[in-house]
Amino acid sequence: MDFALSEEQVAVRDLAAQIFEGKASVARVKEVEGTPERVDRELWRELARANLLGIALPEDVGGSGLGMVELCLVLEQQGRRVAPVPLWPTLILGALPLAEFGSPEQRHTWLPGVAGGEVILTAALDEGGAADPRRPQAKASAEGRLTGTKLSVPAAHVAARVLVPATDEDGAVSVYLVDPAGPGAALEHAETTSRQIHSHLTLDAAAGEVLGQAGQGARIVSWLLDRAMVGLAAIQVGVCEEAVRVAAEYTSNRRQFGRPLSSFQGAALKAADAYIDTEAIRVTMLEAAWRLAEGLDGSQQAEVAKWWAAEAGQRVVHTTQHLHGGMGADIDYPVHRYFLWGKQIETMLGGPSATLAALGQQLAAASP
């Protein structure tokens, strides 16, 4: 596989890098972390002005008509700056499935607002424990009224709609668009490891609008999970790459026994291993993103990318924090945010053991 980016992809990456570097300084991220929303609205508007929020949306709803690889390049740059904006929930969990499965009315109601920065979306996939999002415990009545609890829904507190999988009275799964501020819906906010706000969503006969066609839910959720895992891996690439860069700079400038720390073999070997792990996350993410963009089956590749993001990602952020010594534990020093983001991504949509088990089930099912 050729991992070289096209000129257009390089332009997308460089534009995203310019915006994130210019708007998501360490001081600005710290300032936003102290707000109730934990969302950088100024940065969000800047991304909308550059049409990066519509990068993977169809042109007929105001998007650029590009694909999953380009979207992952934007997410990677978010990870480099650990920028507090709801890119992953809005674009991956909300906008992409709406663009793919939504009715014409649904697409034109919500997607132009996503591209313009006025609409935030998300999806509620976690019900706790080892529950499979493709077999939700939340129930839907014949009238489209939803009852159940969804845990840790990212950006639900600022979302206009939440995509909620639910099982109907006949056992079929559908995905519903739910207003998290509407009657029958209640949010309980929680702060995540990465200092973002995720909410537990409780539904009590809340009204839902079917996304696309009823009974398509398992297919929609499977389609969504593939892209969600790859999106998390893309953010982790940025997190790990910048953490390694910061650690390299620190150990090159910090001196012990008259020598830079980076010249000691132990430190150099740890940094080299972190670099190799980061590149493994990158190539597995790009392969999965490319397959999804080309309309190929990428489910196994998405699981592989997520496993590397979880298993290798946590190794990288542990190593880079360790290389900083006591400075790594100082919350006024920026490297600790990469540790927090790396650990958050490790456990989202299942940790490394759960991801590896899911991949093993896929491989076993595909065996003759």
PDB file of all heavy atoms in Angstrom, residues 8-25:
ATOM      1  N   GLU A   8      -3.841  17.155  -2.629  1.00  0.00           N
ATOM      2  CA  GLU A   8      -5.060  17.644  -1.990  1.00  0.00           C
ATOM      3  C   GLU A   8      -5.084  17.267  -0.514  1.00  0.00           C
ATOM      4  O   GLU A   8      -5.465  18.078   0.347  1.00  0.00           O
ATOM      5  CB  GLU A   8      -6.281  17.075  -2.706  1.00  0.00           C
ATOM      6  CG  GLU A   8      -7.608  17.660  -2.250  1.00  0.00           C
ATOM      7  CD  GLU A   8      -8.760  17.165  -3.100  1.00  0.00           C
ATOM      8  OE1 GLU A   8      -8.794  15.952  -3.436  1.00  0.00           O
ATOM      9  OE2 GLU A   8      -9.641  17.977  -3.427  1.00  0.00           O
ATOM     10  N   GLN A   9      -4.664  16.049  -0.204  1.00  0.00           N
ATOM     11  CA  GLN A   9      -4.642  15.604   1.183  1.00  0.00           C
ATOM     12  C   GLN A   9      -3.610  16.371   2.003  1.00  0.00           C
ATOM     13  O   GLN A   9      -3.851  16.727   3.158  1.00  0.00           O
ATOM     14  CB  GLN A   9      -4.377  14.100   1.241  1.00  0.00           C
ATOM     15  CG  GLN A   9      -5.555  13.275   0.734  1.00  0.00           C
ATOM     16  CD  GLN A   9      -5.192  11.827   0.465  1.00  0.00           C
ATOM     17  OE1 GLN A   9      -4.006  11.476   0.351  1.00  0.00           O
ATOM     18  NE2 GLN A   9      -6.202  10.974   0.349  1.00  0.00           N
ATOM     19  N   VAL A  10      -2.454  16.642   1.411  1.00  0.00           N
ATOM     20  CA  VAL A  10      -1.443  17.443   2.092  1.00  0.00           C
ATOM     21  C   VAL A  10      -1.983  18.838   2.392  1.00  0.00           C
ATOM     22  O   VAL A  10      -1.766  19.402   3.473  1.00  0.00           O
ATOM     23  CB  VAL A  10      -0.156  17.528   1.253  1.00  0.00           C
ATOM     24  CG1 VAL A  10       0.809  18.561   1.830  1.00  0.00           C
ATOM     25  CG2 VAL A  10       0.521  16.164   1.177  1.00  0.00           C
ATOM     26  N   ALA A  11      -2.721  19.414   1.421  1.00  0.00           N
ATOM     27  CA  ALA A  11      -3.298  20.745   1.621  1.00  0.00           C
ATOM     28  C   ALA A  11      -4.302  20.735   2.769  1.00  0.00           C
ATOM     29  O   ALA A  11      -4.340  21.672   3.584  1.00  0.00           O
ATOM     30  CB  ALA A  11      -3.957  21.230   0.335  1.00  0.00           C
ATOM     31  N   VAL A  12      -5.128  19.684   2.856  1.00  0.00           N
ATOM     32  CA  VAL A  12      -6.093  19.564   3.953  1.00  0.00           C
ATOM     33  C   VAL A  12      -5.361  19.458   5.286  1.00  0.00           C
ATOM     34  O   VAL A  12      -5.698  20.153   6.265  1.00  0.00           O
ATOM     35  CB  VAL A  12      -7.006  18.344   3.738  1.00  0.00           C
ATOM     36  CG1 VAL A  12      -7.820  18.041   4.991  1.00  0.00           C
ATOM     37  CG2 VAL A  12      -7.926  18.574   2.558  1.00  0.00           C
ATOM     38  N   ARG A  13      -4.367  18.594   5.339  1.00  0.00           N
ATOM     39  CA  ARG A  13      -3.595  18.418   6.581  1.00  0.00           C
ATOM     40  C   ARG A  13      -2.931  19.723   7.014  1.00  0.00           C
ATOM     41  O   ARG A  13      -2.985  20.106   8.186  1.00  0.00           O
ATOM     42  CB  ARG A  13      -2.533  17.338   6.372  1.00  0.00           C
ATOM     43  CG  ARG A  13      -1.682  17.056   7.606  1.00  0.00           C
ATOM     44  CD  ARG A  13      -0.420  16.326   7.229  1.00  0.00           C
ATOM     45  NE  ARG A  13       0.444  17.143   6.375  1.00  0.00           N
ATOM     46  CZ  ARG A  13       1.510  16.691   5.716  1.00  0.00           C
ATOM     47  NH1 ARG A  13       1.831  15.403   5.802  1.00  0.00           N
ATOM     48  NH2 ARG A  13       2.244  17.494   4.977  1.00  0.00           N
ATOM     49  N   ASP A  14      -2.308  20.413   6.074  1.00  0.00           N
ATOM     50  CA  ASP A  14      -1.584  21.641   6.413  1.00  0.00           C
ATOM     51  C   ASP A  14      -2.539  22.754   6.857  1.00  0.00           C
ATOM     52  O   ASP A  14      -2.222  23.539   7.763  1.00  0.00           O
ATOM     53  CB  ASP A  14      -0.745  22.103   5.224  1.00  0.00           C
ATOM     54  CG  ASP A  14       0.424  21.164   4.935  1.00  0.00           C
ATOM     55  OD1 ASP A  14       0.687  20.275   5.768  1.00  0.00           O
ATOM     56  OD2 ASP A  14       1.055  21.319   3.874  1.00  0.00           O
ATOM     57  N   LEU A  15      -3.706  22.831   6.211  1.00  0.00           N
ATOM     58  CA  LEU A  15      -4.691  23.835   6.619  1.00  0.00           C
ATOM     59  C   LEU A  15      -5.176  23.557   8.032  1.00  0.00           C
ATOM     60  O   LEU A  15      -5.274  24.476   8.867  1.00  0.00           O
ATOM     61  CB  LEU A  15      -5.864  23.847   5.644  1.00  0.00           C
ATOM     62  CG  LEU A  15      -7.048  24.765   6.004  1.00  0.00           C
ATOM     63  CD1 LEU A  15      -6.600  26.218   6.104  1.00  0.00           C
ATOM     64  CD2 LEU A  15      -8.176  24.603   4.994  1.00  0.00           C
ATOM     65  N   ALA A  16      -5.495  22.288   8.313  1.00  0.00           N
ATOM     66  CA  ALA A  16      -5.941  21.930   9.664  1.00  0.00           C
ATOM     67  C   ALA A  16      -4.851  22.219  10.688  1.00  0.00           C
ATOM     68  O   ALA A  16      -5.122  22.758  11.773  1.00  0.00           O
ATOM     69  CB  ALA A  16      -6.338  20.454   9.706  1.00  0.00           C
ATOM     70  N   ALA A  17      -3.595  21.886  10.360  1.00  0.00           N
ATOM     71  CA  ALA A  17      -2.490  22.134  11.278  1.00  0.00           C
ATOM     72  C   ALA A  17      -2.352  23.627  11.565  1.00  0.00           C
ATOM     73  O   ALA A  17      -2.136  24.041  12.716  1.00  0.00           O
ATOM     74  CB  ALA A  17      -1.190  21.587  10.693  1.00  0.00           C
ATOM     75  N   GLN A  18      -2.486  24.443  10.525  1.00  0.00           N
ATOM     76  CA  GLN A  18      -2.365  25.893  10.693  1.00  0.00           C
ATOM     77  C   GLN A  18      -3.435  26.430  11.648  1.00  0.00           C
ATOM     78  O   GLN A  18      -3.153  27.251  12.531  1.00  0.00           O
ATOM     79  CB  GLN A  18      -2.477  26.577   9.337  1.00  0.00           C
ATOM     80  CG  GLN A  18      -2.408  28.091   9.386  1.00  0.00           C
ATOM     81  CD  GLN A  18      -2.603  28.717   8.010  1.00  0.00           C
ATOM     82  OE1 GLN A  18      -2.581  28.036   6.987  1.00  0.00           O
ATOM     83  NE2 GLN A  18      -2.790  30.015   7.976  1.00  0.00           N
ATOM     84  N   ILE A  19      -4.671  25.955  11.482  1.00  0.00           N
ATOM     85  CA  ILE A  19      -5.763  26.448  12.324  1.00  0.00           C
ATOM     86  C   ILE A  19      -5.600  25.977  13.764  1.00  0.00           C
ATOM     87  O   ILE A  19      -5.719  26.761  14.712  1.00  0.00           O
ATOM     88  CB  ILE A  19      -7.119  26.011  11.746  1.00  0.00           C
ATOM     89  CG1 ILE A  19      -7.370  26.730  10.406  1.00  0.00           C
ATOM     90  CG2 ILE A  19      -8.248  26.294  12.733  1.00  0.00           C
ATOM     91  CD1 ILE A  19      -8.596  26.248   9.676  1.00  0.00           C
ATOM     92  N   PHE A  20      -5.315  24.698  13.951  1.00  0.00           N
ATOM     93  CA  PHE A  20      -5.187  24.184  15.310  1.00  0.00           C
ATOM     94  C   PHE A  20      -3.985  24.805  16.024  1.00  0.00           C
ATOM     95  O   PHE A  20      -4.064  25.142  17.209  1.00  0.00           O
ATOM     96  CB  PHE A  20      -5.079  22.662  15.310  1.00  0.00           C
ATOM     97  CG  PHE A  20      -6.403  21.963  15.154  1.00  0.00           C
ATOM     98  CD1 PHE A  20      -6.723  21.285  13.987  1.00  0.00           C
ATOM     99  CD2 PHE A  20      -7.329  21.989  16.180  1.00  0.00           C
ATOM    100  CE1 PHE A  20      -7.948  20.650  13.848  1.00  0.00           C
ATOM    101  CE2 PHE A  20      -8.550  21.358  16.056  1.00  0.00           C
ATOM    102  CZ  PHE A  20      -8.864  20.682  14.878  1.00  0.00           C
ATOM    103  N   GLU A  21      -2.873  24.955  15.335  1.00  0.00           N
ATOM    104  CA  GLU A  21      -1.700  25.554  15.965  1.00  0.00           C
ATOM    105  C   GLU A  21      -1.946  27.021  16.306  1.00  0.00           C
ATOM    106  O   GLU A  21      -1.459  27.524  17.322  1.00  0.00           O
ATOM    107  CB  GLU A  21      -0.492  25.419  15.039  1.00  0.00           C
ATOM    108  CG  GLU A  21       0.039  24.002  14.944  1.00  0.00           C
ATOM    109  CD  GLU A  21       1.115  23.846  13.889  1.00  0.00           C
ATOM    110  OE1 GLU A  21       1.579  24.887  13.347  1.00  0.00           O
ATOM    111  OE2 GLU A  21       1.507  22.705  13.590  1.00  0.00           O
ATOM    112  N   GLY A  22      -2.713  27.706  15.467  1.00  0.00           N
ATOM    113  CA  GLY A  22      -2.967  29.112  15.704  1.00  0.00           C
ATOM    114  C   GLY A  22      -4.003  29.381  16.772  1.00  0.00           C
ATOM    115  O   GLY A  22      -3.947  30.414  17.459  1.00  0.00           O
ATOM    116  N   LYS A  23      -4.972  28.469  16.928  1.00  0.00           N
ATOM    117  CA  LYS A  23      -6.098  28.723  17.819  1.00  0.00           C
ATOM    118  C   LYS A  23      -6.074  27.896  19.107  1.00  0.00           C
ATOM    119  O   LYS A  23      -6.717  28.286  20.087  1.00  0.00           O
ATOM    120  CB  LYS A  23      -7.415  28.433  17.074  1.00  0.00           C
ATOM    121  CG  LYS A  23      -7.690  29.383  15.910  1.00  0.00           C
ATOM    122  CD  LYS A  23      -7.963  30.794  16.391  1.00  0.00           C
ATOM    123  CE  LYS A  23      -8.328  31.726  15.260  1.00  0.00           C
ATOM    124  NZ  LYS A  23      -8.584  33.114  15.725  1.00  0.00           N
ATOM    125  N   ALA A  24      -5.385  26.753  19.101  1.00  0.00           N
ATOM    126  CA  ALA A  24      -5.432  25.861  20.269  1.00  0.00           C
ATOM    127  C   ALA A  24      -4.092  25.866  20.995  1.00  0.00           C
ATOM    128  O   ALA A  24      -3.424  24.835  21.119  1.00  0.00           O
ATOM    129  CB  ALA A  24      -5.822  24.447  19.846  1.00  0.00           C
ATOM    130  N   SER A  25      -3.705  27.036  21.475  1.00  0.00           N
ATOM    131  CA  SER A  25      -2.485  27.137  22.265  1.00  0.00           C
ATOM    132  C   SER A  25      -2.691  26.448  23.614  1.00  0.00           C
ATOM    133  O   SER A  25      -3.825  26.164  24.029  1.00  0.00           O
ATOM    134  CB  SER A  25      -2.119  28.600  22.482  1.00  0.00           C
ATOM    135  OG  SER A  25      -3.116  29.242  23.274  1.00  0.00           O
TER     136      SER A  25
END
